[in-house]
Amino acid sequence: MSAPIAGQLSPGKLFHGHYEVVRCLSTGAMGAVYEVIDVKTHRHRALKLMLPSLVTDEDMRARFKLEATVTAHIESEHIVETFDADVDPETGSPFLVMELLRGNDLADVLSERTRLSPSEVVLILAQAARALDKTHAAGIVHRDLKPENLFITRRDDGSLRIKILDFGIAKVVAASEGAQKKQQTINLGTPPYMSPEQILGDATIDHRADLYAIAHIAYALLVGEPYWLEESRNGDTLYRLLLRMVDGVKEPPTIRGQRYGMTLPPAFDAWFFRATAKSPDERFHRASELVLALAQVLGVPLQ
């Protein structure tokens, strides 16, 4: 039997013997995500199924497998839990079964609201930072942090909880036992959140690439659009945009933010320049340190 077309697993279909399809939630570059019911436990889960066109691509299969296992030893309420990972013998398609999240990613929230308040930004990034401190300590670099990969859900008491999505292109810098181990993968990411070293294909990328991305996410959430979007609107080709990004941030974010109706405190400039420094050595050392400094700049207490 041929592999299913992404987005067309029919509601009611029993996949892999015990996952009943409820509906398709989304489709992306690597696969489709469905809401399913595990008929063994009656729990609703999220099923991520690789696109048929990628099933024979060994690199894509490796990335898909990596997503299932890379954070297996990290305990954090801000990382999506994976319950099952296998290759379906009927279709030949790799799949993951994860906790089903209710809510929206930050990109959707931003498109609806234009921008978020400083207190919301600090709360969101502080939660993300707690998870990133753990993954970075374990030698795991996400490499594709962006608003689409930060998901807002709610606890039982209604309080906000952030989940970091998509570790499919994460890089393992070192094994948890401390032995040095390199994961040979392309330095992928998403403009405009990619660090200069990712763009240049630096083989020594570490956790500070994630800190660079978090700083740009902070700016986007506060101002309403990414820092580098202005260059793309001015007609820069992707190549010219990447060259500008490699050269580093030049215009103070307070000045750029004013053009879009957002007044940032003067101290934000120094924070942003440090967080997005061209040299990783000049950036903050930990995600929690970066967010604590941001909270102080914005005058918002950490919760």
Side-chain angles (χ1 to χ4, degrees):
M1 180 178 178
S2 62
I5 299 174
Q8 292 189 6
L9 275 187
S10 302
K13 176 180 174 58
L14 197 63
F15 179 81
H16 202 64
H18 62 104
Y19 297 113
E20 181 181 344
V21 177
V22 176
R23 61 191 173 115
C24 180
L25 297 173
S26 65
T27 57
M30 288 186 67
V33 180
Y34 301 87
E35 179 180 352
V36 298
I37 299 173
D38 185 339
V39 298
K40 292 182 178 180
T41 63
H42 303 289
R43 298 297 298 269
H44 285 249
R45 303 296 188 198
L47 168 72
K48 185 172 184 178
L49 187 65
M50 180 179 279
L51 287 172
S53 59
L54 300 178
V55 166
T56 59
D57 188 314
E58 290 301 320
D59 182 60
M60 293 298 102
R61 290 173 72 95
R63 285 170 54 187
F64 206 81
K65 181 179 180 180
L66 178 67
E67 184 176 357
T69 59
V70 71
T71 59
H73 302 295
I74 308 295
E75 293 187 8
S76 172
E77 65 169 332
H78 305 298
I79 294 177
V80 179
E81 188 172 0
T82 299
F83 300 103
D84 194 6
D86 207 342
V87 176
D88 180 55
E90 182 181 5
T91 64
S93 296
F95 69 90
L96 306 176
V97 178
M98 303 169 287
E99 62 177 305
L100 180 65
L101 302 179
R102 308 286 189 184
N104 298 99
D105 65 49
L106 274 180
D108 286 339
V109 173
L110 203 56
S111 66
E112 292 174 2
R113 295 181 47 191
T114 305
R115 61 175 63 101
L116 303 185
S117 69
S119 59
E120 290 174 308
V121 172
V122 168
L123 174 60
I124 287 167
L125 296 185
Q127 292 190 15
R130 285 197 285 271
L132 290 172
D133 279 350
K134 290 185 176 183
T135 60
H136 293 162
I140 299 165
V141 186
H142 188 286
R143 297 198 303 168
D144 195 21
L145 291 172
K146 54 187 176 181
E148 290 86 345
N149 283 338
L150 295 177
F151 195 93
I152 296 180
T153 185
R154 298 283 175 178
R155 300 184 180 91
D156 288 345
D157 63 2
S159 60
L160 178 148
R161 179 172 63 175
I162 286 295
K163 290 279 189 176
I164 301 178
L165 307 181
D166 197 359
F167 280 83
I169 63 168
K171 180 177 181 179
V172 180
V173 178
S176 59
E177 293 83 3
Q180 296 299 313
K181 182 175 72 172
K182 295 288 184 178
Q183 180 72 29
Q184 298 301 321
T185 51
I186 301 171
N187 295 325
L188 298 170
T190 301
Y193 302 99
M194 288 174 65
S195 65
E197 61 269 27
Q198 285 177 277
I199 296 170
L200 293 172
D202 192 336
T204 60
I205 286 173
D206 63 20
H207 69 284
R208 292 170 295 186
D210 285 347
L211 305 191
Y212 176 98
I214 286 291
H216 275 279
I217 291 171
Y219 177 90
L221 297 179
L222 290 166
V223 175
E225 65 173 45
Y227 181 92
W228 296 111
L229 190 61
E230 184 167 313
E231 280 71 12
S232 63
R233 283 177 173 165
N234 290 340
D236 277 8
T237 63
L238 178 59
Y239 177 73
R240 286 176 59 85
L241 172 60
L242 294 177
L243 286 179
R244 286 177 179 264
M245 292 171 65
V246 166
D247 197 35
V249 170
K250 302 300 182 185
E251 182 178 38
T254 54
I255 294 176
R256 183 164 295 207
Q258 284 180 341
R259 289 201 292 274
Y260 301 97
M262 178 60 186
T263 300
L264 295 167
F268 188 89
D269 285 341
W271 176 87
F272 192 72
F273 282 131
R274 179 183 176 186
T276 63
K278 183 176 180 179
S279 169
D281 292 338
E282 296 177 10
R283 298 177 199 156
F284 292 94
H285 302 292
R286 288 165 48 93
S288 56
E289 177 193 10
L290 178 148
V291 175
L292 175 60
L294 175 64
Q296 293 170 343
V297 164
L298 296 177
V300 175
L302 279 177
Q303 298 182 14

